[in-house]
Amino acid sequence: MSQTYKLTVFEPSGEKLLDEAFTAEHDKQAKEIGERLLKEKNYSGFTHRCTSSAGKLVLFHI
């Protein structure tokens, strides 16, 4: 069963650069999708987080 995950990227000032939802079958797949999206959009070096609909943090970088 798919879950909804949310990937959020922030500027150092706290401004949101990206706030994107996607679905994945499990946390590991969500982490892989989140990392791929960050790379595609050139946001890998920014502060980011990916959370599940249950509030679980699956990806985080300061």
Side-chain angles (χ1 to χ4, degrees), residues 1-57:
M1 182 177 203
S2 291
Q3 289 189 64
T4 301
Y5 293 84
K6 194 165 201 178
L7 179 64
T8 310
V9 179
F10 301 93
E11 280 277 11
S13 66
E15 178 187 348
K16 282 186 189 177
L17 296 173
L18 180 72
D19 197 15
E20 186 169 320
F22 62 91
T23 58
E25 294 298 317
H26 46 74
D27 292 348
K28 184 178 179 194
Q29 183 184 38
K31 183 177 178 181
E32 292 168 357
I33 292 170
E35 289 171 338
R36 187 186 74 228
L37 288 170
L38 289 166
K39 213 175 267 190
E40 287 174 2
K41 297 174 185 287
N42 295 316
Y43 286 140
S44 297
F46 288 85
T47 298
H48 57 266
R49 69 177 176 217
C50 182
T51 56
S52 70
S53 55
K56 185 175 180 184
L57 190 62

